[in-house]
Amino acid sequence: MAEKSMYERALELFPPVALRATAIGVDRGEGIYVWDENGRKYIDFASGVAVVNCGHNHPYVVQKAKEQIDKLIHGGHNVVYYQSYIELAEKILGHVGSDYKIYFSNSGAEANEAAIKLAKQVTGRPGIISFKRSFHGRTLATTTLTASNAKYRRHYEGLLPSVYYAEYPYSARTGLSDEEETARCIAQLEEIFHDLIEPEQVACMILEPIQGEGGYIVPPKSFLQAIRRICDQHGILLAFDEVQTGFGRTGKIFAYEHFDVKPDIMSLAKAIANGFPLSAMVAKRSLMDQWPAGTHGGTFGGNPVACAAGTAVFELLENGLADHAATMGSYFKAKLEKMKANHQEILDVRGLGLMIGMEFVTKDGKPDAKLVESLRSIALEKGLILLSCGVSKNVIRFIPPLIVTEEQIDEALAIFDASLEEALKQR
Ligand SMILES: Cc1ncc(COP(=O)(O)O)c(C=O)c1O
């Protein structure tokens, strides 16, 4: 009898909740490629969900992590200080600004938990404004903030109180101009303040500067700037969830840099350490200094090895990787836009840097999740790993490692193009 695959073994071991997008059992990864247990090579345009921005097992990140392993694996950030923890904090704050401080934890959800706990603690206000189609994690509090699928909340209701959901622009769907779309969303926010919660009762607004799971939606600059103004007017703290957009993904180190809007609080995770579990919450020094000792914490936050890897990631980003992502993003997007011109079923190609979404619709303009699923599985058969997103699951997201080259983009696009033709024939 043939040996069981990792996938077959996993079915016996893990619950359906630990669902994944492919059945690949990965043996090793290098750059933009992974190899499965049978030695088959795949192009990985999922990057472990926007995590391995420097590419799988980037040699410099591996070297720095190994050096740290030889020195110290765990010190405990409730117990001692250590060099890599301080170095990474200095790097990130050196970029964001000396008027900010940082708190390390382990996951994106945990960073968002820290963000809203800080906001509540410092303002003494109960309310939180989140945004429709947002995704902020799967702990109970971040499940409350998340508004992209009722499935995430089913049987968990009775969540965090005083969370309200505001409109987030989606001009590809509404067909409105940037100004009209901003006005529509801000009018609905004003309604929330009038009908549901007075702004003086709101601790913070939390939003992704570009929506990730919600469909790779880039809002107009005017929207984020209006949100900043409203927050300032009412003493509401502005928190950006940069868990998916951060660390060069959009062609700048952080996505807020595209919009001339700086948040008071920012959550970071995913690509921060190129695969080592690490996250951070960055916030204005004036807020952080009011956060009493012991009112938040965690055993594993800021692991020494993860921080050493994170410092290596930051050096690579500063030394050209973020700029490279911007250049490759323009190259990639231009090619995808050309494809759109020849395909009615492509509603929109959007994104910044190497965070690009392609939205598919049926002949009558409805979200076409079926086409996206068949396209994804055909591409996988041909050796290209892709993920989908969007509340209707009808958006293909392209999130290759930022080290990707033009030749590799072309290689992936040839597969994608052939897969789309095949998927359309089968439709
Ligand atoms: C924008 C955003 N915030 C938060 C999270 C949750 O991060 P984690 O899965 O590390 O808890 C995600 C994960 O996909 C995300 O995309």
Side-chain angles (χ1 to χ4, degrees):
M1 202 174 73
E3 223 178 87
K4 279 186 174 179
S5 68
M6 281 193 223
Y7 171 68
E8 288 162 335
R9 285 158 63 199
L11 288 180
E12 299 299 317
L13 301 168
F14 305 107
V17 74
L19 162 93
R20 59 214 72 203
T22 76
I24 301 174
V26 168
D27 177 46
R28 73 186 179 91
E30 187 184 317
I32 68 154
Y33 302 106
V34 290
W35 285 261
D36 76 7
E37 59 203 310
N38 302 313
R40 179 162 186 212
K41 183 179 174 184
Y42 290 86
I43 300 174
D44 181 6
F45 269 29
S47 300
V49 199
V51 168
V52 290
N53 280 9
C54 302
H56 289 282
N57 283 38
H58 190 286
Y60 186 56
V61 180
V62 171
Q63 179 205 326
K64 289 292 169 186
K66 279 184 174 167
E67 284 170 14
Q68 182 60 47
I69 285 176
D70 286 338
K71 284 205 291 195
L72 178 76
I73 294 173
H74 178 77
H77 73 156
N78 300 317
V79 185
V80 292
Y81 295 97
Y82 38 90
Q83 192 66 20
S84 62
Y85 186 86
I86 296 189
E87 253 173 35
L88 179 57
E90 284 172 350
K91 276 260 164 234
I92 294 176
L93 297 180
H95 185 82
V96 178
S98 57
D99 51 339
Y100 287 78
K101 283 190 170 181
I102 188 164
Y103 183 84
F104 288 120
S105 43
N106 304 288
S107 68
E110 237 189 304
N112 283 329
E113 292 265 350
I116 57 172
K117 282 176 80 177
L118 173 74
K120 280 175 174 271
Q121 180 74 239
V122 169
T123 61
R125 301 176 180 188
I128 297 170
I129 306 279
S130 185
F131 287 77
K132 294 191 183 161
R133 291 189 314 273
S134 62
F135 186 87
H136 296 292
R138 294 169 201 261
T139 58
L140 285 172
T142 56
T143 293
T144 316
L145 302 177
T146 293
S148 52
N149 195 326
K151 169 183 91 178
Y152 294 140
R153 310 162 67 98
R154 188 157 47 102
H155 299 310
Y156 302 135
E157 282 294 352
L159 296 163
L160 206 63
S162 304
V163 178
Y164 301 87
Y165 304 92
E167 289 284 326
Y168 192 101
Y170 197 170
S171 50
R173 285 274 177 91
T174 62
L176 297 174
S177 70
D178 280 0
E179 280 63 39
E180 290 165 338
E181 191 60 351
T182 294
R184 178 183 75 84
C185 295
I186 298 301
Q188 188 260 355
L189 179 62
E190 296 295 350
E191 259 176 43
I192 292 178
F193 289 154
H194 181 271
D195 301 351
L196 294 167
I197 185 166
E198 292 176 350
E200 289 69 30
Q201 289 298 302
V202 176
C204 72
M205 295 200 203
I206 181 159
L207 70 163
E208 298 152 271
I210 298 170
Q211 279 192 329
E213 305 291 316
Y216 277 32
I217 300 163
V218 186
K221 212 172 175 173
S222 58
F223 171 72
L224 292 182
Q225 292 182 345
I227 291 289
R228 176 72 274 181
R229 269 197 309 278
I230 292 168
C231 283
D232 289 343
Q233 191 185 338
H234 300 292
I236 298 169
L237 298 174
L238 178 57
F240 276 179
D241 177 342
E242 289 244 19
V243 166
Q244 191 158 164
T245 52
F247 298 97
R249 175 52 58 194
T250 68
K252 295 202 185 275
I253 291 188
F254 299 117
Y256 75 79
E257 296 167 49
H258 290 282
F259 298 97
D260 300 323
V261 171
K262 217 164 168 184
D264 304 302
I265 304 173
M266 180 163 70
S267 327
L268 306 172
K270 286 197 184 283
I272 184 170
N274 210 47
F276 287 93
L278 180 68
S279 70
M281 189 272 284
V282 171
K284 282 272 176 68
R285 181 179 282 261
S286 54
L287 304 171
M288 289 289 225
D289 285 343
Q290 294 181 59
W291 209 9
T295 58
H296 187 65
T299 300
F300 285 116
N303 170 269
V305 183
C307 284
T311 306
V313 168
F314 217 87
E315 283 173 28
L316 292 168
L317 288 169
E318 285 181 325
N319 293 332
L321 187 57
D323 293 339
H324 179 75
T327 311
M328 288 306 105
S330 305
Y331 178 82
F332 198 175
K333 211 166 133 196
K335 295 231 159 173
L336 293 173
E337 267 157 7
K338 252 193 205 150
M339 267 180 95
K340 174 177 180 274
N342 301 322
H343 288 94
Q344 278 180 335
E345 44 284 315
I346 302 174
L347 174 73
D348 196 24
V349 172
R350 55 182 178 249
L352 290 175
L354 285 169
M355 182 174 183
I356 306 174
M358 186 181 249
E359 177 159 4
F360 288 88
V361 286
T362 58
K363 284 194 183 76
D364 48 3
K366 301 256 162 52
D368 200 343
K370 239 169 107 185
L371 178 66
V372 162
E373 214 26 53
S374 114
L375 170 54
R376 235 174 45 77
S377 79
I378 296 168
L380 189 64
E381 276 166 30
K382 295 182 189 296
L384 172 65
I385 303 175
L386 291 170
L387 297 178
S388 62
C389 65
V391 285
S392 312
K393 291 274 167 255
N394 65 323
V395 180
I396 289 281
R397 51 173 148 177
F398 298 96
I399 30 173
L402 310 182
I403 51 157
V404 73
T405 63
E406 286 184 3
E407 293 69 37
Q408 290 169 334
I409 288 172
D410 290 345
E411 190 188 347
L413 271 173
I415 297 177
F416 183 72
D417 208 4
S419 307
L420 178 57
E421 292 316 318
E422 227 174 287
L424 285 172
K425 263 193 219 131
Q426 288 175 13
R427 186 150 82 154

